[in-house]
Amino acid sequence: MSDYCIYLKMPSYLRQWFIHRHGGGEPVKLIRGSIESKMLKRATVPLPPDTVPLRKQEGEVAVSIPYYKSHDPRVYNHITETGKRAMVERIKDDFDLDVWDYLHDFGKIGRQQKELIYLFMEQRGIREDGSCWDAIAKIYQRLRHIYLTNNRQKSKRLRERNS
């Protein structure tokens, strides 16, 4: 790894999950071969002339730029706003998959969902700061709604075909 970092702004729950997923330290050292590592390699560019390197701001996570023979972080150490958005969207997608994979089997349980979300948070290194549980619950509800809507539409199409 290098001493060069990029900084990504993301919500508290996502930042904590991302740090935990990649070993628990900051700056985050991406797992070699992970989709985030590959995306970062594609998204980093040389620092444009007359540009000052950015410093870490509140709510951002530092991500160490990995070293590759063909992509030296001493040269490729800048990420554009488009690259940052792409990285954060990828991380959000992975988080959604993790939430769904963990909680979808318990979708019919109801009241116990609260404790299951707390268990998910505990196992993923997410501390409650007043907004994490609510955000995760809303994400799960949105994913469940999409799933149920798609299943209803699929069932309707099958009934129409068989009639």
Side-chain angles (χ1 to χ4, degrees), residues 6-158:
I6 61 149
Y7 305 102
L8 301 173
K9 186 167 186 68
M10 53 183 84
S12 176
Y13 70 90
L14 190 60
R15 187 172 54 252
Q16 292 178 62
W17 175 85
F18 180 64
I19 291 169
H20 182 266
R21 181 176 185 211
H22 287 279
E26 196 172 351
V28 173
K29 295 184 181 357
L30 298 174
I31 298 168
R32 192 99 167 156
S34 68
I35 192 69
E36 294 95 346
S37 177
K38 292 176 181 181
M39 184 173 272
L40 185 59
K41 182 179 177 184
R42 298 273 173 126
T44 50
V45 296
L47 188 67
D50 302 328
T51 304
V52 177
L54 299 174
R55 296 215 179 273
K56 184 178 175 185
Q57 303 295 315
E58 182 71 30
E60 292 183 331
V61 63
V63 180
S64 182
I65 302 171
Y67 175 83
Y68 296 96
K69 287 180 185 177
S70 63
H71 207 81
D72 190 332
R74 292 175 293 186
V75 176
Y76 298 94
N77 54 26
H78 178 72
I79 188 167
T80 63
E81 288 302 315
T82 304
K84 285 182 181 183
R85 282 192 303 274
M87 288 286 298
V88 171
E89 285 303 314
R90 179 69 231 175
I91 294 165
K92 283 180 182 177
D93 288 346
D94 288 346
F95 180 81
D96 287 356
L97 287 172
D98 194 22
V99 166
W100 180 252
D101 189 48
Y102 192 87
L103 296 173
H104 83 279
D105 287 339
F106 301 103
K108 294 183 171 67
I109 292 178
R111 281 196 329 243
Q112 296 171 348
Q113 177 186 4
K114 180 177 182 178
E115 294 307 317
L116 288 170
I117 292 173
Y118 279 121
L119 184 61
F120 171 84
M121 290 170 58
E122 180 181 295
Q123 292 177 358
R124 302 308 193 270
I126 303 170
R127 293 177 319 279
E128 179 58 75
D129 64 3
S131 66
C132 292
W133 188 92
D134 289 334
I136 293 168
K138 286 177 185 174
I139 288 168
Y140 174 67
Q141 288 169 358
R142 186 185 72 243
L143 293 170
R144 187 169 184 268
H145 174 75
I146 291 167
Y147 174 77
L148 292 174
T149 301
N150 287 342
N151 272 353
R152 278 188 227 120
Q153 290 173 350
K154 187 187 282 186
S155 295
K156 183 179 176 184
R157 285 192 301 268
L158 285 172

